[in-house]
Amino acid sequence: MDYFQSTEFDTRVKELMDKFRVPGLSLAAIHGDRTASKTFGVTSIASGTPCAADSLFDIASSSKVLTAVAVALLVEDDVKHPHVTFDTPVSKILPEDFVMSDPEYTKTVTVDDMLGHRSGLAGHDLSYFGVNAEQTDDARSVTRNIRNLQICAPVRSKYVYNNIMYTVATHLVEAETKTSFSDFLDERVFAPLGMTSSGLQPSRSRQRGFGERMSSGHAWNESESRYREFPSVESTEAQGAGSIVTSAGDYLKLVRAFLRQEGPITRQVYEGLTKIRSMPNPTAKDVDPLSSPKFYGAGVGIVYYRGHAIIGHNGGVPGFGSRFFFVPSLDFGLVLLGNAMEAAYLANAIEKELVDAAMGSKASQEPKDSKSAAAGASSASTEREAEDAEPQKMPLTAYAGHYWNPGYRGLHVQIKDGKLFIDATDRSFQSLITLHHVSGQTKYRAHLQASDAWGGIALVEPVPAEFVFNNDKVVKFGLQLDENLDLIWFDRVHEEATPYVLI
């Protein structure tokens, strides 16, 4: 705790905030019976409002542990929910709603598989609809749509990070308890732990009068040399995968409960979540010094560092980044919340320094900078694309039109500024997709950019896209929307055949 409270630590954090372009941070730490908090920067570049100990942030995927806790509470309750166990096939609990594209998967995928990212379902993050859609998805419609989504691996053979399955888990909780997931968390987790500033979705925080405490999201625009600022986005269709709004001090109460195994975090719940289910990097590639490969439990990742288990989770969406972790053997834990997605990189940079300090030893080597590596790869990809590009011969009007895939529903390819363009801001991951011609009359690369509501940042590396012709008429459009799959194909259809159909 001495290092956390030192000016040396303050200087280190400020250097990293400058490096990763994070305008504001709120941190809270626990070591034994001592707790402390620190804040840096501002919650809004526009207003200059300083970060405070009670400032609220969207914590993105750091929310997943709460979904896992909610399911574990049902597993623990043999009286009201005797048929809900970690080994129960999800289809036994949700027989009408949980149907995968392969009947064997429907029968086989268990609650454990769902929470451990080992169901075999690809991520499909652009398949569900958000607040801008004519009809927003919810937990049940997201669950029912998995029957239309491709599988990418055998069950339990591979770690495939999957937000959808965590939303499915909330539908399971709601179906079992006849209570909204938001109310369930309030009653069974937040209230018992005194987490009075925590809630599901930004709207809930505003309804409680916490609006002025909520941080804006920020994204650095390199070409403009300035931050873009925007409010946190309502994402009811992604509940369970993210969308918890909280303060660092409030979330530290959850971390303390894990360390003490108190309140709703009983020993049974704790052991249920920290049981290793999958391995994100089985080849042990790019393992940090003195560290084990990474493992995943339920809503928490686990890595061993110098003989100590570090248990926690990162979160990141455009505008917000977070991490919480705890080290049971050292009785130490930390919550870091920031108002730029890169705050999660910052957390990774200081995590082992703080663990070293808790052990009373010298600071460790800084982890590899994944952000810089990714930026270099993007630049190289753009250069290759420019070298390979061939002149476009077919008129763009030949490609424009409506396309349909049962799992992703309708996409509308338009012409904008002399390029093929898809407005996918109706999706949960609000995206603008520009197609750049590469070769022949069929090969393209798709550039995915977040909407202005998410700061307009590039979401992923450019990905392959392709059109299929039949007698000089485009009949199919393929887009690689998941790293674990080849192209996802959309059939060309008439406009009237592409409504927002919820199953």
Side-chain angles (χ1 to χ4, degrees), residues 168-474:
V168 172
T170 70
H171 177 45
L172 185 154
V173 171
E174 291 179 335
E176 276 292 306
T177 64
K178 312 303 179 190
T179 303
S180 73
F181 185 62
S182 184
D183 286 345
F184 184 90
L185 290 179
D186 284 348
E187 296 165 9
R188 298 293 304 276
V189 182
F190 298 150
L193 293 178
M195 297 173 66
T196 56
S197 294
S198 301
L200 179 65
Q201 304 298 344
S203 60
R204 201 161 183 98
S205 296
R206 295 187 185 101
Q207 289 166 6
R208 292 172 169 173
F210 299 159
E212 291 186 358
R213 293 167 51 190
M214 295 175 66
S215 175
S216 298
H218 298 80
W220 178 255
N221 186 294
E222 195 67 43
S223 63
E224 299 174 358
S225 296
R226 69 177 183 89
Y227 288 102
R228 293 188 179 182
E229 182 172 335
F230 44 94
S232 52
V233 176
E234 195 83 359
S235 300
T236 55
E237 73 289 347
Q239 68 174 33
S243 296
I244 293 294
V245 175
T246 187
S247 68
D250 233 30
Y251 223 57
L252 191 69
K253 296 173 183 177
L254 178 66
V255 169
R256 188 209 310 266
F258 271 97
L259 287 170
R260 304 286 183 268
Q261 292 168 37
E262 62 187 13
I265 313 301
T266 62
R267 174 167 289 278
Q268 183 177 342
V269 168
Y270 178 91
E271 292 178 350
L273 268 60
T274 56
K275 180 182 76 173
I276 292 173
R277 292 168 170 80
S278 54
M279 195 172 179
N281 57 341
T283 63
K285 183 180 179 181
D286 296 327
V287 171
D288 287 331
L290 306 178
S291 300
S292 73
K294 296 176 182 177
F295 305 96
Y296 200 87
V300 291
I302 304 160
V303 65
Y304 289 86
Y305 172 65
R306 299 180 67 180
H308 298 273
I310 302 175
I311 303 169
H313 210 292
N314 281 11
V317 292
F320 296 94
S322 62
R323 178 160 178 79
F324 76 90
F325 71 87
F326 55 95
V327 187
S329 56
L330 299 175
D331 201 17
F332 177 75
L334 180 86
V335 176
L336 180 150
L337 311 182
N339 53 13
M341 187 162 60
E342 292 77 8
Y345 295 121
L346 191 157
N348 291 337
I350 64 171
E351 176 178 295
K352 288 171 184 173
E353 296 173 9
L354 288 165
V355 174
D356 285 334
M359 286 190 286
S361 61
K362 187 178 179 180
S364 64
Q365 178 179 335
E366 185 174 342
K368 299 175 180 66
D369 185 351
S370 58
K371 185 187 179 193
S372 295
S378 177
S379 175
S381 172
T382 302
E383 290 173 6
R384 286 195 303 271
E385 183 179 309
E387 291 172 0
D388 296 344
E390 297 178 7
Q392 175 75 48
K393 295 179 181 178
M394 292 290 289
L396 296 183
T397 52
Y399 305 87
H402 291 265
Y403 296 82
W404 175 265
N405 173 283
Y408 285 73
R409 291 158 276 182
L411 284 182
H412 183 198
V413 178
Q414 308 170 62
I415 301 170
K416 182 179 179 181
D417 298 329
K419 292 187 181 297
L420 297 175
F421 171 80
I422 299 167
D423 184 341
T425 56
D426 54 357
R427 310 287 159 155
S428 182
F429 284 78
Q430 300 179 25
S431 308
L432 302 169
I433 306 173
T434 306
L435 302 180
H436 293 242
H437 178 249
V438 174
S439 65
Q441 300 309 303
T442 61
K443 304 289 187 181
Y444 286 77
R445 290 191 74 79
H447 294 244
L448 279 71
Q449 177 182 338
S451 70
D452 287 342
W454 268 10
I457 63 172
L459 291 175
V460 294
E461 291 279 305
V463 298
E466 185 175 346
F467 291 90
V468 173
F469 280 82
N470 183 11
N471 295 327
D472 293 329
K473 182 179 180 181
V474 175

Side-chain angles (χ1 to χ4, degrees), residues 67 71 114-115 143 164-174:
T67 305
V71 174
M114 175 176 66
L115 296 176
T143 301
I164 287 174
M165 283 296 175
Y166 269 73
T167 299
V168 172
T170 70
H171 177 45
L172 185 154
V173 171
E174 291 179 335

Side-chain angles (χ1 to χ4, degrees), residues 101 105 120-127 148-154 158 160 162 164 405 408 463-464 478-490:
S101 60
Y105 284 72
L121 182 69
H124 297 294
D125 281 329
L126 280 181
S127 67
N148 299 314
L149 299 175
Q150 288 176 256
I151 292 161
C152 67
K158 182 180 180 181
V160 182
N162 196 287
I164 287 174
N405 173 283
Y408 285 73
V463 298
L479 189 60
Q480 188 177 48
L481 293 172
D482 194 289
E483 63 181 358
N484 293 294
L485 294 172
D486 293 328
L487 301 184
I488 293 171
W489 289 99
F490 295 75

Side-chain angles (χ1 to χ4, degrees), residues 52-87:
D54 64 350
S55 294
L56 301 176
F57 299 80
D58 184 330
I59 65 170
S61 286
S62 292
S63 308
K64 284 185 170 67
V65 66
L66 290 168
T67 305
V69 167
V71 174
L73 289 171
L74 302 188
V75 171
E76 185 181 47
D77 191 342
D78 292 331
V79 176
K80 292 183 179 178
H81 309 286
H83 58 292
V84 180
T85 73
F86 287 121
D87 295 325

